[in-house]
Each structure stands twice: as structure tokens, then as C-alpha cells.
Amino acid sequence: MIKTKKTLYAVLEVKTNASSNEIVLAYESLIQNLEKKRNIIGLDETQIQKKAIVMAYEILSNQASRDAYDAKLFAIKSTPENAQKIEVNVAINENGRSPLRRVLAVIAGVMVIWLAMQLIYGFIVYRANNGEIATVNQHDEKMKIRQYYQEYGVWLKSGEEVDMRLAEERKNEREGYKKQSEERKKEYEKRERDRKYQDWLDEGRRTGDEIDRQARQLEQQAQSDLERKKELEENEKRIKAEAERNRINNERIKLGLPPLANVSGDSD
């Protein structure tokens, strides 16, 4: 009879890390030994044990059902912290030209061209004004300073400083956006890992519950078979006892003796 806490590995008498070949060999050996003991333990007990062995073999010999059973069997040992230890290997070609590097190269090229144009423009203005560097239009510079103050609440001294601040703000904004994008990507990957792990646990629990249900049904059927066998044996004993009592009473009547009282448990 199968015990409720007995695992399928214990039924086949193998370790939890047994290979498929070991499971097959264990199953064949148990079936052969069971057939040899058939006359000793009886037909009913042989069938009960055979059902348990066959069920354990069918589950553990199939990789999908075995994985589901293992997930159910070792669910208590599994924790969400363990799921976070799953290693994700990402191959990165450090010497390759990634899209990000190409974009940075284009930006650098544009900045070089812009600086070259500024130098050329400055040189032309210098020559046009007899060697004196022209200053930026005062009105435009004041408007630039005022707009920056209205937007950021900081009053700067010159338009050049405004340009430097704006360039720094754009740089910080790009870096912040890049950092946020990386953080969002990591968070998304973490959620995906957690979701897949939870789906795996849920599927393992569902399959494990189904396996437990089948095991309970098999145990109940075995118990019912044993009770029915016991009832048949008791009926057979009562019939034999009644026949023996009738035989004895017939003999007593022939000898002129009174018959035995018909009370359960009486004997000569």
C-alpha cells in the first residue's frame, strides 16, 4: 500500500537525480521481483504494488511530467530570492561598432564641423573689423540671459555662460535619459524573470496537485480492494463455520445429543 508521504522516487527505489536509464532499469527490476513474489504476497497485493510502480514509472520516465513533479516536490525549498540569482549572460562585442557608438561618432563629427565653422566665421569677422573681434549683439545677449532666467530662475552674466549652461543641461538630460532607459530595461527584465519563475511555479503546483490527486485515488482504490478482500474472507469463514456447525449438529442428533446453540463464536 502506498504511503501518503512516500515519493515516486522512493516507490522506484532510486535517487532524485537518477538518470532516465536508471529509472527504466529500476522499473524493470521491480516488476520482475514482484512477479517472483506473486505467489507469496497474493494476486491482490501484487496488483496494488504494480499499479504504484507503473504510475511512478510513467511520471518519472517522461521529462515534462518529471519536471512538474520535481517542482511540486521541491517547491518548499524554492524562494523568490533564488529566482533573482538566475544568471543572464549577455554577449557584448567590445571591439564592434554598436549603434550607440555610431550615433556618438556622428555627434562628434557634427560638433567638429560646427567648431570649424565658428573658427572660420570668427576669422572672417576679425578680418572685416580690422583685426578686432566683433562682440555679440547686446540686445540678443540680454534677451538670451532673460529667457534663461525666466525658465531656470538663474541670472547669468553673459550669453556665453548661457550657452555653456544650456549645453551642460542638454548633456545632463541625455545622460539622465540614458540612465533612466537602462534602469527601465533592468526593471523590465527583472519583472519578466519574476513572471516566468512564477508561471513555472504555478504550472508545477498545478501538475503536482494533479499527481497528488491521482496518487490519492490509487491509494483509496487500494484500500477499497483490501477492505473488499477482507470482507470476502470473513464471509468465507462464516460460511465454513456454519457448515461445520451443521455437520456437528447432525452428528450430535444421530448420537441423540442436543444440537449446539447457534451463537457466533461458539465451538466444541
Side-chain angles (χ1 to χ4, degrees):
M1 180 177 177
I2 304 174
K3 302 297 182 183
T4 302
K5 295 184 179 180
K6 193 172 184 180
T7 67
L8 300 182
Y9 293 100
V11 173
L12 293 182
E13 300 178 1
V14 296
K15 297 181 179 179
T16 55
N17 60 349
S19 65
S20 299
N21 188 43
E22 290 174 341
I23 290 175
V24 173
L25 293 177
Y27 166 74
E28 293 176 349
S29 177
L30 289 174
I31 292 297
Q32 292 176 0
N33 293 336
L34 192 60
E35 289 297 327
K36 293 178 181 179
K37 298 188 297 181
R38 180 175 180 177
N39 295 332
I40 300 176
I41 63 178
L43 178 61
D44 293 339
E45 184 63 21
T46 300
Q47 292 178 348
I48 292 172
Q49 292 187 20
K50 187 175 182 179
K51 287 181 181 179
I53 294 171
V54 170
M55 185 189 75
Y57 171 74
E58 289 178 348
I59 293 174
L60 297 183
S61 62
N62 182 280
Q63 192 60 43
S65 60
R66 181 178 180 180
D67 290 343
Y69 177 75
D70 288 345
K72 174 69 176 179
L73 188 62
F74 303 114
I76 298 177
K77 298 181 181 180
S78 300
T79 60
E81 287 75 8
N82 293 333
Q84 295 178 0
K85 296 180 181 178
I86 299 175
E87 298 179 357
V88 180
N89 297 322
V90 181
I92 300 178
N93 185 0
E94 296 293 341
N95 297 322
R97 294 182 60 82
S98 65
L100 179 60
R101 291 188 177 184
R102 288 196 293 269
V103 172
L104 293 177
V106 172
I107 294 175
V110 172
M111 292 181 66
V112 170
I113 294 173
W114 180 81
L115 290 174
M117 292 178 64
Q118 291 295 320
L119 291 174
I120 294 172
Y121 174 76
F123 179 74
I124 293 173
V125 172
Y126 176 80
R127 294 290 300 273
N129 291 277
N130 298 322
E132 296 180 359
I133 300 176
T135 60
V136 181
N137 185 276
Q138 295 292 329
H139 176 73
D140 292 342
E141 185 174 12
K142 290 180 180 180
M143 288 294 297
K144 183 184 294 185
I145 294 173
R146 185 177 296 107
Q147 289 177 356
Y148 187 88
Y149 174 77
Q150 292 175 351
E151 184 172 355
Y152 297 99
V154 179
W155 189 272
L156 301 179
K157 296 180 180 180
S158 63
E160 182 180 358
E161 189 175 0
V162 171
D163 293 336
M164 292 177 60
R165 286 290 189 93
L166 290 175
E168 185 69 21
E169 290 291 338
R170 286 192 293 270
K171 178 182 178 181
N172 292 337
E173 184 178 354
R174 287 194 300 270
E175 292 178 351
Y177 178 77
K178 179 181 178 182
K179 183 177 180 181
Q180 290 178 359
S181 299
E182 292 176 351
E183 291 176 352
R184 286 196 297 268
K185 181 179 179 181
K186 291 179 180 179
E187 181 64 23
Y188 173 77
E189 292 174 350
K190 179 180 179 299
R191 288 199 303 269
E192 282 297 300
R193 290 196 302 270
D194 293 343
R195 182 185 63 78
K196 292 179 180 179
Y197 175 75
Q198 188 62 43
D199 291 344
W200 179 77
L201 283 181
D202 293 340
E203 181 63 23
R205 291 192 184 98
R206 286 193 294 270
T207 307
D209 291 340
E210 178 62 21
I211 293 172
D212 287 345
R213 185 186 66 79
Q214 294 179 3
R216 287 194 299 271
Q217 286 182 347
L218 180 60
E219 183 177 7
Q220 292 172 358
Q221 182 179 354
Q223 182 65 29
S224 177
D225 292 342
L226 288 178
E227 292 176 355
R228 185 166 58 256
K229 178 182 177 182
K230 183 178 180 181
E231 183 179 354
L232 292 174
E233 290 176 350
E234 290 177 352
N235 289 335
E236 185 178 356
K237 288 180 180 180
R238 284 196 299 270
I239 292 172
K240 289 181 177 179
E242 184 66 24
E244 181 65 16
R245 185 181 295 106
N246 291 336
R247 186 188 65 79
I248 293 173
N249 285 337
N250 290 334
E251 293 294 332
R252 290 175 68 89
I253 291 172
K254 291 179 181 179
L255 296 175
L257 298 174
L260 296 174
N262 188 13
V263 178
S264 178
D266 291 347
S267 61
D268 286 340

